[in-house]
Amino acid sequence: HGFQCFNGPIFSVDGKMLRWTDTFTQKIHTAEWNGELGTIGESRLFAQVSDGLPDGGTTDSNDMVYYAMFKGNCVLRFTPEGKIHSKIPLPAKYITSCFFGGEDLRTLFVTSCSHPDPATKLDKPDGTVMIVRFADETIKGNPLPLCTI
């Protein structure tokens, strides 16, 4: 399918849509997913971003989509249709992924990595996990189903 760097696959709340990033092209794609057959439909563009390189992501219980922006100092929150809803600014530059956790699933944990050159000294907290707690009680994670292999 011509992707440079398939990354950050996530599912919609109902499990019928698969979304993923093509990191180096700054594109996020989506396609229908049939979990029973294990098949994926025709992919289409979900969003084109310019706030860094889209990396790992997650979906909340309202089917809003979150993607970490590597080299972008933020997590972008998208509507289910792929429009940017909001930007969550962060103190680190190399944001790698995000996921919901905590007892009530209202805390977004955001991971980052250190600079690729260990000799480079950074003022920002790259290489740490940041915590975002939402005041809006309607924003919370989607419990993930358990998997048995």
Side-chain angles (χ1 to χ4, degrees):
H1 290 274
F3 301 114
Q4 289 183 19
C5 182
F6 181 93
N7 202 353
I10 59 173
F11 291 96
S12 60
V13 172
D14 64 8
K16 294 182 180 179
M17 298 301 294
L18 173 64
R19 297 179 182 106
W20 67 94
T21 69
D22 187 0
T23 299
F24 300 123
T25 65
Q26 296 180 295
K27 293 179 181 177
I28 302 171
H29 297 271
T30 188
E32 290 183 16
W33 168 255
N34 184 322
E36 287 183 28
L37 299 176
T39 57
I40 186 172
E42 194 67 32
S43 70
R44 61 188 177 280
L45 186 64
F46 179 74
Q48 176 81 50
V49 299
S50 59
D51 290 301
L53 303 172
D55 206 348
T58 193
T59 306
D60 72 17
S61 62
N62 299 309
D63 216 19
M64 298 294 272
V65 175
Y66 300 72
Y67 271 108
M69 294 291 119
F70 189 80
K71 294 185 177 181
N73 299 80
C74 69
V75 169
L76 293 179
R77 184 176 188 231
F78 298 87
T79 66
E81 296 76 34
K83 304 292 182 213
I84 294 176
H85 178 273
S86 55
K87 180 178 184 175
I88 303 166
L90 296 160
K93 181 176 183 180
Y94 300 103
I95 310 299
T96 55
S97 195
C98 56
F99 59 93
F100 283 93
E103 279 189 38
D104 59 4
L105 295 175
R106 288 189 39 233
T107 302
L108 186 70
F109 293 88
V110 183
T111 61
S112 66
C113 70
S114 298
H115 189 278
D117 177 6
T120 301
K121 301 286 187 241
L122 299 172
D123 292 332
K124 298 176 187 263
D126 289 292
T128 65
V129 176
M130 290 152 283
I131 297 171
V132 178
R133 180 74 176 169
F134 294 100
D136 181 345
E137 293 183 14
T138 65
I139 299 174
K140 64 182 197 174
N142 190 34
L144 299 175
L146 295 177
C147 175
T148 304
I149 299 177

